[in-house]
Amino acid sequence: MEKRNIYKDIVFIAVGCLLLILAVRAGDFCIQQQRSYEIFLQSQSELSEEIVKEIGKIEGLYGFSPISSCNVKIRLQEYALETSLAGIDIGGYPLKWKTAQEEISLANTPILFFGQEAFAAFTDNNGNGPGKSRIAEWVEKYQELQLTVADEHGRERSAKIGGIVEEPSSGIYIGQSQMEGLYSASAKTTGGCAKIQGERNMQKAKEILSGAGFQVE
């Protein structure tokens, strides 16, 4: 009976394992190149149409949602917050919702969407923030809250909260159409969310945008 060559079997097993590892890595690479990524970019100056067109030339980019912003002061009960209000495409911007109203009446009432951590940034006249129990109550009963929003020109409007955002958790948002209609005098487009297909394209896009002076996340 012919004696089995155990060393040959070991070599075959090792080669098989190596081929399997290479196949898995190749599969992972293909998946990464097909996956969609989101890049958030911010500029110190307002984005012109020419700059937006140049961003659109980035390889792998298939969508760009501009973000406009304006400085406001929001009052909630005895608390206030001076912050930058972000105007976004609510349907196209990548928000992870904690909760939101199904139907919202807009008219001239600003409808705000709060990151769940934004409430903690409010302070009273003594510089004290709300307690955890107060924040939990606000989050639970956000639809009932009455707010006022004052823009840079001192014009004040009553506002409502339309939903709570889990991620990004610290911002305060408003629909782009309302931003343009209510705060066009002070709003500026200084950033946006770029959607890019492929990890390699995403990494290259970060290098290009960072080199052009953008803050990229």
Side-chain angles (χ1 to χ4, degrees):
M1 183 176 181
E2 184 179 354
K3 189 174 182 179
R4 187 178 183 86
N5 190 333
I6 189 170
Y7 299 105
K8 184 183 294 186
D9 292 343
I10 293 173
V11 171
F12 285 150
I13 293 172
V15 171
C17 290
L18 179 60
L19 291 174
L20 179 60
I21 292 171
L22 291 175
V24 170
R25 289 182 177 178
D28 290 342
F29 178 79
C30 290
I31 292 173
Q32 289 171 352
Q33 299 316 306
Q34 294 174 0
R35 184 178 300 167
S36 294
Y37 296 86
E38 292 158 351
I39 295 177
F40 298 91
L41 55 99
Q42 187 69 35
S43 173
Q44 295 295 325
S45 57
E46 189 167 12
L47 301 184
S48 63
E49 290 185 11
E50 290 74 17
I51 293 176
V52 173
K53 287 180 180 178
E54 288 301 314
I55 293 174
K57 296 177 182 178
I58 292 176
E59 187 174 358
L61 188 143
Y62 65 91
F64 180 72
S65 299
I67 303 172
S68 55
S69 62
C70 66
N71 295 324
V72 297
K73 185 172 185 178
I74 303 174
R75 292 192 177 276
L76 173 57
Q77 298 174 2
E78 70 268 32
Y79 297 89
L81 171 65
E82 294 186 8
T83 187
S84 178
L85 181 64
I88 62 172
D89 176 5
I90 300 296
Y93 194 81
L95 299 175
K96 182 178 180 182
W97 294 97
K98 181 179 181 68
T99 181
Q101 297 185 51
E102 292 184 3
E103 295 184 6
I104 301 174
S105 177
L106 297 176
N108 292 321
T109 300
I111 304 298
L112 309 183
F113 302 90
F114 270 56
Q116 60 182 354
E117 296 179 4
F119 292 105
F122 280 80
T123 57
D124 61 17
N125 291 332
N126 298 317
N128 299 316
K132 291 183 179 180
S133 59
R134 177 70 69 91
I135 293 175
E137 180 183 354
W138 285 345
V139 172
E140 181 181 357
K141 300 180 179 180
Y142 73 92
Q143 300 179 50
E144 303 173 14
L145 298 178
Q146 297 290 334
L147 305 88
T148 59
V149 181
D151 60 24
E152 294 176 333
H153 304 286
R155 182 172 180 177
E156 194 172 89
R157 295 180 175 88
S158 297
K160 300 284 289 183
I161 299 178
I164 306 298
V165 179
E166 188 172 334
E167 291 180 7
S169 60
S170 59
I172 299 179
Y173 308 93
I174 187 172
Q176 189 67 261
S177 60
Q178 277 211 315
M179 174 67 88
E180 294 172 356
L182 301 177
Y183 301 106
S184 59
S186 53
K188 295 181 179 179
T189 301
T190 57
C193 174
K195 298 181 179 181
I196 299 174
Q197 186 172 23
E199 183 182 28
R200 182 178 292 173
N201 291 334
M202 180 267 293
Q203 296 294 347
K204 185 63 177 179
K206 282 187 174 182
E207 293 177 10
I208 294 172
L209 293 168
S210 297
F214 287 95
Q215 180 182 344
V216 182
E217 297 180 2

